[in-house]
Structures are given as structure tokens and as C-alpha cells.
Amino acid sequence: VQLQASGGGLVQAGGSLRLACAASGRTFSMNSVGWFRQAPGKEREFVAASRRSNGNSFYTGSVKGRFTISRDNTKNTVFLQMNSLKPEDTAIYYCAASAGNFIMSTMMIGDNYEYWGQGTQVTVSS
């Protein structure tokens, strides 16, 4: 599976961005998909994830109610709609996918994902 992330950019606080992660290859193996981010000088952190089997989605606490993960299986694309953006959301955002059908605790761990996109920069100005 190859993943291509896009949609990042510069936005003012309170604004919105929609990230997309287009997949190619063995996309039928994308049972779990996730978004992670890494800010300068910080470790990578989990943002959101979705499980194909039942459509359940999970979010880290700081983005709940502001971010929404969705997927268009017909287009093999995963989206991350980000609203009410804050300067602390500034980071490189990475999409990831796995053939595993994860439970929530597993979906939050980046090392469990086999496939990663190249990252897209999101910068939120105050």
C-alpha cells in the first residue's frame, strides 16, 4: 500500500483544513487507518483513527469535537477534517494504514501500522 497525504497549509487560528490520504496498491488491506502528527521538538502523537469493519472512529482528547476522520472506500481515500484549529495543532501530519483490525488502544500506537504517507505540513498562526 502506498499512501499520499495532501491538504496541509497555513491557516489562521479558528480556521479549517481538510487533509486527504490517497491510497494505492493493496488497499483492501487497509482495515485500520490513522492520522498522527509530529510537532517540532516533540514526539509523534496519535490524532485519530478509523476501523473499516464497523466504522468506529477514535480521537485523542485534544482534537475531539474539532477533528473528524472519514474514509471514502470507493476512492481509497481517508480524510481528516480539522475545524477550529489552534496554534498547538501545528505539526507535520502523517496518515497510516494497517491490515490489522485494531481495537482502540492498538490504533493509537504508530508502530502497529505497516504503511505510512510522507506527511503534510499544517501551520496554524495565532
Side-chain angles (χ1 to χ4, degrees):
V1 177
Q2 293 78 45
L3 303 177
Q4 179 74 37
S6 63
L10 173 64
V11 64
Q12 289 187 332
S16 299
L17 283 174
R18 189 192 196 202
L19 305 184
C21 179
S24 59
R26 298 168 61 90
T27 57
F28 60 84
S29 64
M30 287 173 49
N31 289 318
S32 298
V33 293
W35 287 95
F36 292 77
R37 66 188 180 186
Q38 187 166 21
K42 295 187 177 181
E43 293 188 354
R44 182 181 63 194
E45 66 169 345
F46 168 78
V47 176
S50 174
R51 185 167 56 204
R52 176 155 64 182
S53 61
N54 58 12
N56 282 0
S57 299
F58 309 101
Y59 302 89
T60 191
S62 63
V63 308
K64 278 183 180 179
R66 301 188 297 122
F67 290 12
T68 302
I69 186 172
S70 61
R71 54 197 302 176
D72 184 340
N73 291 324
T74 64
K75 298 181 179 179
N76 297 319
T77 302
V78 180
F79 301 98
L80 184 68
Q81 177 67 44
M82 306 186 295
N83 299 328
S84 302
L85 282 161
K86 304 175 181 180
E88 50 263 44
D89 294 318
T90 295
I92 300 175
Y93 283 71
Y94 298 90
C95 59
S98 173
N101 200 17
F102 297 152
I103 59 174
M104 181 175 68
S105 59
T106 307
M107 297 178 88
M108 298 174 65
I109 302 172
D111 288 347
N112 291 327
Y113 292 81
E114 303 96 277
Y115 312 107
W116 288 84
Q118 84 289 2
T120 184
Q121 176 71 48
V122 172
T123 303
V124 184
S125 63
S126 57

